Amino acid sequence: MLTSGNSSSHPMSFILLGIPGLESSHFWIAFPFCVMYVVAVAGNIIILHVIRTDHTLHQPMYLFLAMLALTDLVLSSSTQPKMLAILWFHVHEIEYHACLIQVFFIHAFSSVESGVLMAMALDRYVAICFPLRHSSILTTSVVIKLGSVVMVRGLLWVSPFCFMISRMPFCPNKVIPQSYCEHMALLKLVCADTRVNRGYGLFVAFSVAAFDIIVIGISYMKILRAVLQLPSGEARLKAFGTCGSHICVILTLYVPALFTFLTHRFGHQVPHLVHIIFANVYLLVPPMLNPIIYGVRTKQIRDRVVRVCCGKEP
């Protein structure tokens, strides 16, 4: 059934298929998905709690980490409950406006996460290349302003996605062959010329992801050059260790994200099942791994969590 407006018509709801080709295994696939979601929620809440309650952690690196944890909570919670409902309870229908809201949250907070990773790379660059000026360059005020710019960029850049789609007519087909609503997946159901939408999508991708990747790349090239000039091998190892966790987080986000983005537009020969799996990995794995990586690799957070778990926290 279609609802007609002044200039558009849209279905009352869409049908999310989950993981096409693995329907018989949906029930069992949901278990690891659920574990990853629980780990993501618990891990990021712990990170936020530790940073909020320990005033010694109110430094740029940890403030950015708190932003990353909050972003991961929103990103995973905007998709995983519905995904589990599809896989376990066969609740495939999603209301039209709920689908648009999911599109907004997925793309907006993916952009925010990319921006936070860029800000963390800048923080590592200043900390390693200008250690004596780090606290004067990245003050709390600067960190808050940088975080605000990243957030506003994500919200403003992505909002037109939902507005433009909401003004377009949809075809009778309302089946989305994946587990969540996504901009390009919705565009494929539109019965109109979508070149403007696709062009804007490319603009957002290159103005956000490409810009952030370039800044991250330049930051780490300068970091590498500075580290290799250190006289002590132990100092070089410590500097590389400081950046190692951040590099792991960057790779877990950008590799599946770029694969999904490029497959939607150019990878018509890629098997659909492979595409869907990477699309799920893109939203499942980074929110789960980020608190694990930072919790294990960051001594201050690790020690504080151990104290809390052992009941030694005052």
Side-chain angles (χ1 to χ4, degrees):
M1 178 180 177
L2 296 178
T3 299
S4 299
N6 294 333
S7 58
S8 67
S9 60
H10 62 75
M12 296 292 292
S13 61
F14 295 102
I15 302 297
L16 295 168
L17 294 185
I19 306 178
L22 294 178
E23 288 85 357
S24 60
S25 303
H26 274 184
F27 180 79
W28 302 108
I29 292 172
F31 283 98
F33 279 19
C34 182
V35 169
M36 285 190 278
Y37 178 53
V38 170
V39 171
V41 171
N44 285 296
I45 287 177
I46 289 171
I47 293 287
L48 285 169
H49 173 72
V50 167
I51 294 173
R52 184 183 68 84
T53 56
D54 190 339
H55 294 287
T56 64
L57 299 181
H58 293 180
Q59 303 171 27
M61 173 183 173
Y62 302 106
L63 294 177
F64 287 132
L65 180 54
M67 294 179 198
L68 185 67
L70 185 60
T71 301
D72 282 336
L73 279 174
V74 175
L75 196 56
S76 57
S77 296
S78 65
T79 56
Q80 301 318 307
K82 180 59 181 178
M83 191 181 296
L84 292 174
I86 293 169
L87 300 178
W88 264 333
F89 307 112
H90 309 292
V91 184
H92 293 275
E93 190 172 26
I94 183 170
E95 196 267 332
Y96 171 79
H97 292 99
C99 188
L100 288 185
I101 291 171
Q102 197 174 64
V103 169
F104 173 78
F105 275 97
I106 288 172
H107 292 286
F109 281 89
S110 293
S111 170
V112 171
E113 178 144 1
S114 176
V116 172
L117 292 179
M118 176 197 66
M120 294 175 79
L122 291 173
D123 172 65
R124 292 300 83 207
Y125 163 67
V126 175
I128 291 174
C129 297
F130 306 99
L132 299 179
R133 298 172 55 198
H134 180 252
S135 59
S136 61
I137 294 174
L138 283 176
T139 62
T140 301
S141 173
V142 170
V143 171
I144 292 173
K145 289 176 181 176
L146 189 54
S148 300
V149 168
V150 166
M151 176 66 74
V152 170
R153 183 190 68 170
L155 299 181
L156 290 182
W157 257 232
V158 172
S159 295
F161 280 158
C162 298
F163 176 76
M164 289 190 292
I165 286 182
S166 68
R167 308 301 298 171
M168 304 190 78
F170 283 82
C171 301
N173 175 32
K174 59 178 186 176
V175 175
I176 300 174
Q178 56 188 60
S179 359
Y180 57 86
C181 293
E182 191 265 343
H183 180 240
M184 285 299 298
L186 277 186
L187 281 187
K188 292 176 181 178
L189 304 183
V190 169
C191 282
D193 187 351
T194 60
R195 283 178 294 182
V196 173
N197 303 66
R198 292 172 186 270
Y200 183 72
L202 286 172
F203 163 74
V204 170
F206 283 107
S207 63
V208 173
F211 175 79
D212 292 348
I213 290 172
I214 290 171
V215 172
I216 290 170
I218 293 173
S219 298
Y220 272 96
M221 282 191 290
K222 291 182 176 295
I223 288 172
L224 180 61
R225 186 173 63 182
V227 168
L228 292 177
Q229 292 175 351
L230 293 174
S232 166
E234 184 180 348
R236 288 197 295 268
L237 187 62
K238 183 178 179 180
F240 279 128
T242 303
C243 299
S245 56
H246 188 225
I247 293 173
C248 291
V249 169
I250 290 170
L251 292 176
T252 58
L253 173 70
Y254 283 117
V255 171
L258 288 174
F259 179 87
T260 301
F261 173 79
L262 294 173
T263 301
H264 257 309
R265 287 158 176 80
F266 313 111
H268 303 297
Q269 302 303 316
V270 176
H272 187 64
L273 179 59
V274 174
H275 178 204
I276 297 304
I277 289 174
F278 267 87
N280 286 322
V281 165
Y282 158 53
L283 293 178
L284 276 168
V285 175
M288 177 195 68
L289 283 184
N290 291 350
I292 294 175
I293 291 172
Y294 282 110
V296 172
R297 295 296 302 273
T298 307
K299 184 178 185 300
Q300 292 89 332
I301 292 177
R302 184 175 67 245
D303 291 348
R304 179 66 186 270
V305 172
V306 170
R307 290 201 304 270
V308 171
C309 292
C310 295
K312 297 181 181 179
E313 191 67 22

